[in-house]
Amino acid sequence: DAGVIQSPRHEVTEMGQEVTLRCKPISGHNSLFWYRQTMMRGLELLIYFNNNVPIDDSGMPEDRFSAKMPNASFSTLKIQPSEPRDSAVYFCASSLGLGSSDGYTFGSGTRLTVV
Amino acid sequence: SQKIEQNSEALNIQEGKTATLTCNYTNYSPAYLQWYRQDPGRGPVFLLLIRENEKEKRKERLKVTFDTTLKQSLFHITASQPADSATYLCALDMGTGGFKTIFGAGTRLFVKA
């Protein structure tokens, strides 16, 4: 398996623009997580899905952020409009299930820069 | 709310020695606790998971302990190698009935040859 695949790897956009980050989880994993990492705040959980259903989105910072999982093999995180403070590395992770002994498998992340 | 405390100072050790990293948490004990390794520019990589009813878990040169009385987990790397140099993250569930996992800030480990 190629692991969790995220795209793009890097994104530079202007303030006010819409940004869409994409994630393909490992086949057979039914839980998917979106995290954001900054030097100041570390890794923050934004939202997680189980069997394509959003379970907890309390970590989504504002209404500007939205996430979808239309099927078991694809998820998106959208920021509209983007702001400079959204600059961070965004990670997608998947697992066999909630509380799996195999932990989470993370993608390589998308480094977002909003100027 | 649940908080995780990891030593923010880097740990410097000599090759061959045992590295010990600490993870402390506040409030309730999690159902399970995880340890990850992160290299610069990469995503975290899962290493070990230990459940609340387990005292210790081992995997090759790695050992994790879980003391719910002290609210602490220790992560040991025996016979450390320069290739073990990385940031190590502790993660645990929020205990809210779901599986909301939060991460500590991590401890940077440097193993000197």
Side-chain angles (χ1 to χ4, degrees), chain B:
Chain B
S1 61
Q2 184 74 291
K3 290 184 180 178
I4 303 175
E5 297 167 354
Q6 291 188 261
N7 194 339
S8 59
E9 292 183 14
L11 178 63
N12 292 279
I13 64 167
Q14 198 69 30
E15 182 177 12
K17 300 292 186 182
T18 296
T20 298
L21 286 69
T22 304
C23 174
N24 295 300
Y25 57 90
T26 60
N27 302 334
Y28 53 84
S29 284
Y32 54 89
L33 189 147
Q34 307 178 57
W35 283 90
Y36 288 78
R37 168 185 173 140
Q38 187 173 25
D39 292 284
R42 311 287 289 271
V45 174
F46 173 73
L47 297 174
L48 281 168
L49 180 149
I50 187 166
R51 299 191 185 277
E52 60 181 334
N53 60 347
E54 299 175 311
K55 296 290 185 186
E56 180 180 299
K57 204 154 195 181
R58 293 174 184 261
K59 179 182 176 183
E60 298 173 354
R61 294 185 296 112
L62 309 181
K63 184 178 85 171
V64 172
T65 62
F66 194 2
D67 189 325
T68 55
T69 301
L70 293 178
K71 295 186 177 180
Q72 181 181 82
S73 175
L74 297 179
F75 177 79
H76 307 272
I77 305 175
T78 57
S80 59
Q81 306 165 0
D84 295 326
S85 299
T87 296
Y88 291 86
L89 304 167
C90 168
L92 50 85
D93 70 278
M94 289 285 285
T96 55
F99 292 87
K100 188 172 178 177
T101 298
I102 59 173
F103 282 76
T107 298
R108 191 79 188 269
L109 172 67
F110 292 98
V111 181
K112 187 177 178 181

Side-chain angles (χ1 to χ4, degrees), chain A residues 9 33 35 37 43 45 48 56 58-59 91 98-104 106-108, chain B residues 32 34 36 38 41-46 49 51 89 96 98-104:
Chain A
R9 284 301 308 275
F33 308 81
Y35 282 87
Q37 187 173 40
L43 264 172
L45 176 64
Y48 72 94
D56 190 327
S58 59
F91 287 105
L98 299 176
S100 167
S101 295
D102 295 325
Y104 301 168
F106 280 79
S108 298
Chain B
Y32 54 89
Q34 307 178 57
Y36 288 78
Q38 187 173 25
R42 311 287 289 271
V45 174
F46 173 73
L49 180 149
R51 299 191 185 277
L89 304 167
T96 55
F99 292 87
K100 188 172 178 177
T101 298
I102 59 173
F103 282 76

Side-chain angles (χ1 to χ4, degrees), chain A residues 38-106:
Chain A
T38 61
M39 288 293 292
M40 289 295 295
R41 301 174 69 90
L43 264 172
E44 300 175 276
L45 176 64
L46 301 177
I47 184 171
Y48 72 94
F49 297 81
N50 193 47
N51 294 323
N52 311 338
V53 176
I55 303 300
D56 190 327
D57 66 354
S58 59
M60 297 286 259
E62 299 170 35
D63 291 344
R64 298 184 296 107
F65 286 69
S66 62
K68 294 182 180 179
M69 192 164 186
N71 56 62
S73 59
F74 184 64
S75 177
T76 60
L77 178 68
K78 186 178 292 187
I79 308 173
Q80 165 65 16
S82 57
E83 296 182 4
R85 59 192 167 128
D86 301 330
S87 298
V89 180
Y90 290 79
F91 287 105
C92 174
S94 68
S95 71
L96 275 170
L98 299 176
S100 167
S101 295
D102 295 325
Y104 301 168
T105 302
F106 280 79

